[in-house]
Structure formats: structure tokens, C-alpha cells
Amino acid sequence: MTAKYAIVLAAGQGTRMKSKLYKVLHPVCGKAMVDHVLTELEKDQIDEIVTIVGHGAAKVEETLGKRTKYALQAEQLGTGHAVLQAEELLGDKQGMTLVTCGDTPLFTAKTFAKLFEQHEQSGAVATVLTAKTEEPFGYGRVIRNHRDEVEKIVEQKDTTPEEALVNEINTGVYCFDNQALFKTLHEVKNDNAQGEYYLPDVIEILKAKGRPVGAYCMDEFEESMGVNDRIALAKATKVMQRRINELHMKNGVTLIDPATTYIEADVKIGADTVIEPGVSLKGKTVIGEDCVIGAHSELRDTVLEDGIKVKASFLEGAIMRNGSNIGPYSHLRPQADIGEGVHIGNFVEVKKATLGKNTKVGHLTYVGDATLGKEINVGCGTVFVNYDGQNKHHANVGDYSFIGSGSNIIAPVEIADHAYVAAGSTITEDVASREMAIARGRQVNKPGYYDRYPVAKAAAESENKD
């Protein structure tokens, strides 16, 4: 079996992006563009991938890790010069080498595989990946001869009127005989206006030597979209978003309005889950089966087991276990562990806390740095006070306990199983099993005091108007 190699060009800074972030690191649906390219290449079982880095080399290597080898293009002297930097790693190898760009996030493994297959079967020394478009203006045209071989690639500015009508364009992706590629790169000259060494010149040199050059025309033109500015970035994101959404729907997920549903590349969703409009699913989020994610919710790096209902809430770094529910307008922060059958109501925030089976936290409550057992009721307006201004402290509440509304649970504190905290209490001491803790001032009523306050005057004026 013929060995397969790939070179990813990722050395450019991308000045048209007008960004401090290097171009190939700009995200499309949650993943850097160059990461999308590498991910698709990996699906084709490439023997060795080399990424050409330059600007932002350290950041690119940090993003891609050990999934690829690297070659440095210290000076940006053109695409041909960039590929040549991989010679030390690949130059002596026998096989096929695919060259692609790190700013083309929409190419698929299927397209790369077909390019390799076409190249190997045709016996060509080089194969150009092409596409057809109704609007070819601005692209290099692929001119074929009567044997369907590539005769030449003509840039827009150099086309004749007849050539300008050709709708097959060069995508900038190539497959070469590896050793022919590196041998020919040494013959490329930089006698052009930019003084750079261009990879397409390899095709011209090979043609001049009578070596066969072929082309594979791919099915979807939009795959070839390169990203050079923020406008193209938005277009690529839209295409990727549609592609991701359609894949989930094919796998049994219901998207009520795919056009307003944003799902990033690494998100996983189980069958028969329903996603309502305006939902954003980001990072490494994993959603089980039979869940309902309500409109305008956002989940990031969150795990939902089966049968979860999320209503208009924001979840990050959290886990919700089978049959639990949340919302509307609640917030799970990192390390929130919501147990089976737990109810989190509206305007509740949970951070670094575990809630046991069937516990209920209905509304207007903060639970931070706490462990709550099962079958607990936490009343409205309860605050787990976990911060003393310097350190965080932990509170524990046992099974079947009751926390009355408006309570402050000041950590560190232990509330045992079957304990009761009266509404409006500020708890600073441990509460034993089957005790009721009351920590509030005694009510005192003062006769006639109402008339001493401004409210009495306002009330009298209102009564007189009536």
C-alpha cells in the first residue's frame, strides 16, 4: 500500500484578519481552523503529517500538540518555500504527499481520500484538487487538454476571454509524488513581482518536462472556502454550523430551528433529544437521550445524562444526572453535580456543590462549596455563605433535612440528617439530627410607631385623594 503524507501550511500571520490571534487559530464552531484540517486528515490514516509553522509557531504547536510534526518557515517567502521546509522530515520518503492550507477548515476527510485515490489510480506525478463554481472570477482556472489532463493553471489576471469562461477552479490543494515534489521545489524561481517561491510553479515545471499532471474535481465547491478575513470567517462558521446540525439531526436529534441553533464541533448529543431555538452548545458538552434543552440556554463543557430538562439557563463545567431539571434563568458553575431527580428552579446558582437524589432548590438561592444529601428541600432565598474574605469553606447538609426560606448557612457547618432550619435563620453552629435550629431575633411590636414614619404621611395623602 502506498504511503500517504500530508503537509499543512500554517505559517502565515493573516494581516487581513486584523487580529492579535494568528489566522489559522481563529475558531470555527469552537475549534481552530487548523485543528479542523488536522482532524479531517487524521480520519484518512495519514502515515505522517507535517505542519509548517511561522508566525505564532508556539501557539500553533500548543493547539495541535503531538498530533503532527512541525517544520519552521522563519521567513515567509511563498507557498513553495513553505513546503520545502518539510524536506528534512519527508524528502527521502516514497509515497504520496497532500499539501493543503491551515485556513481552509471546511475540507472533509472524504474529499482528501478521493484526491489520494484519484492521484494513485491515474499514475500522475501531481494531481490538483479542483471545484466548479458559477462565479469563478478571482480564482485560477484549470485548463484541461483533450485527454482531460491538466494543461495549465491560469490566474484570473492572465486568462484569455475563452479561459475566463472556464468554471473549474484551483482550490490550492495538491497531491504529489513525494520525491518529485521536493526535487522540483528546488527548481522553482522567485522571479515575480512578490519575489516569492510559489507552489503552483511546480505544476508548470512538471508539465514542461512532460510529466503527467491530473486533476480531481470535488463535489462541493463550498468546501474549498479559504478564510482570509472576518467576513469569510463568518461564512465558514455558517457552513460548518449547518454541517454539524445536519449530522445531529441525521443521528436522531430534533432541532426545532437549525438556523438559530449553534452547536460546536466536539459536542455529542443522544437520540430523541430536543433542542429549541436560540440554544448554544459549546466545548466538550455531552448530552444524553430524551433531553429537552429549552430556548436560549447555553451549555459549555457540561454533561447531561438522560431525560434532563433545561429551561433558559446557563451551564458550564457541570453535570446533571438522570431525570433532573433546571430553570428558567439559573446558573450552574464549574463542579456543580446535580443528582438524579433534582429540581433546580428559577434564579438559582450552584457552584462546586453536590446535590443528592430528589433534592429541591426552588428559587432565588445560592449553593456554593456544599454537599447536600438526598430528599432535601431548600427554601426560597437561601444563601450558602462560603467565603470569609480570604478562604472558601464547605457546608454539609444531611438527607431529608429542611432549610427554611431566607436562611443563611455560614460555612464551615454541619447540618445532620433529618434536621430542620427555621425560616430566616443564620446558621453558624452545627445542627444535630432531628433538631430544629432557629437563629433570628425575637419579634417586638411597637404600638403607634407607624404614624411616626413618612409612610404614614404618604398613605394619608393617598387616602384623601381617594
Side-chain angles (χ1 to χ4, degrees), residues 213-224:
V213 174
Y216 168 65
C217 187
M218 65 188 205
D219 297 330
E220 299 291 338
F221 168 74
E222 70 179 9
E223 278 192 39
S224 67

Side-chain angles (χ1 to χ4, degrees), residues 241-261 263 269-275:
Q241 178 183 330
R242 187 184 72 242
R243 186 185 293 177
I244 291 169
N245 289 359
E246 288 178 355
L247 179 61
H248 285 297
M249 289 188 285
K250 289 176 182 177
N251 289 335
V253 178
T254 295
L255 304 185
I256 302 298
D257 184 6
T260 62
T261 303
I263 303 175
I269 309 173
D272 291 317
T273 284
V274 177
I275 311 293

Side-chain angles (χ1 to χ4, degrees), residues 244-461:
I244 291 169
N245 289 359
E246 288 178 355
L247 179 61
H248 285 297
M249 289 188 285
K250 289 176 182 177
N251 289 335
V253 178
T254 295
L255 304 185
I256 302 298
D257 184 6
T260 62
T261 303
Y262 177 78
I263 303 175
E264 291 188 343
D266 291 330
V267 172
K268 295 178 173 56
I269 309 173
D272 291 317
T273 284
V274 177
I275 311 293
E276 294 185 351
V279 168
S280 293
L281 305 176
K282 300 179 178 180
K284 303 292 185 180
T285 291
V286 178
I287 298 174
E289 297 183 352
D290 302 302
C291 296
V292 177
I293 313 301
H296 310 298
S297 296
E298 181 175 327
L299 282 64
R300 181 187 296 275
D301 298 322
T302 288
V303 175
L304 304 186
E305 294 185 349
D306 296 338
I308 309 298
K309 290 181 171 57
V310 177
K311 188 173 184 180
S313 293
F314 180 65
L315 287 63
E316 53 179 332
I319 181 169
M320 294 186 69
R321 303 190 184 275
N322 291 329
S324 56
N325 64 86
I326 185 171
Y329 313 121
S330 286
H331 184 188
L332 298 185
R333 291 169 58 193
Q335 299 182 58
D337 187 334
I338 308 305
E340 183 178 343
V342 167
H343 167 65
I344 303 291
N346 53 297
F347 300 103
V348 174
E349 181 177 340
V350 182
K351 187 272 301 184
K352 199 177 180 182
T354 300
L355 280 63
K357 184 177 179 179
N358 293 336
T359 284
K360 294 177 175 57
V361 184
H363 26 246
L364 299 165
T365 290
Y366 171 70
V367 184
D369 293 275
T371 300
L372 280 63
K374 63 184 179 182
E375 302 283 353
I376 297 169
N377 186 87
V378 179
C380 175
T382 295
V383 177
F384 281 74
V385 184
N386 57 338
Y387 185 51
D388 64 8
Q390 191 168 22
N391 298 302
K392 297 290 181 70
H393 301 280
H394 198 86
N396 293 311
V397 181
D399 299 343
Y400 302 102
S401 294
F402 182 94
I403 309 297
S405 296
S407 296
N408 296 306
I409 311 301
I410 301 182
V413 70
E414 299 281 337
I415 299 174
D417 294 349
H418 300 282
Y420 193 106
V421 173
S425 294
T426 296
I427 302 301
T428 59
E429 303 292 338
D430 293 350
V431 182
S433 180
R434 302 193 182 278
E435 289 184 344
M436 182 179 73
I438 306 174
R440 61 191 186 214
R442 182 180 298 274
Q443 181 173 325
V444 178
N445 295 344
K446 300 288 187 178
Y449 266 58
Y450 175 88
D451 295 324
R452 297 186 180 188
Y453 294 99
V455 66
K457 182 180 179 182
E461 291 174 351

Side-chain angles (χ1 to χ4, degrees), residues 146-159:
H146 65 281
R147 293 189 299 273
D148 208 33
E149 298 172 337
V150 175
E151 186 69 32
K152 57 182 175 177
I153 299 173
V154 184
E155 294 305 314
Q156 171 69 44
K157 63 182 186 321
D158 299 323
T159 57

Side-chain angles (χ1 to χ4, degrees), residues 57-80:
K59 289 291 186 181
V60 174
E61 292 182 27
E62 180 183 331
T63 299
L64 301 180
K66 296 180 179 180
R67 297 159 60 195
T68 173
K69 293 183 178 180
Y70 301 93
L72 178 66
Q73 186 188 23
E75 292 183 88
Q76 274 63 63
L77 300 178
T79 52

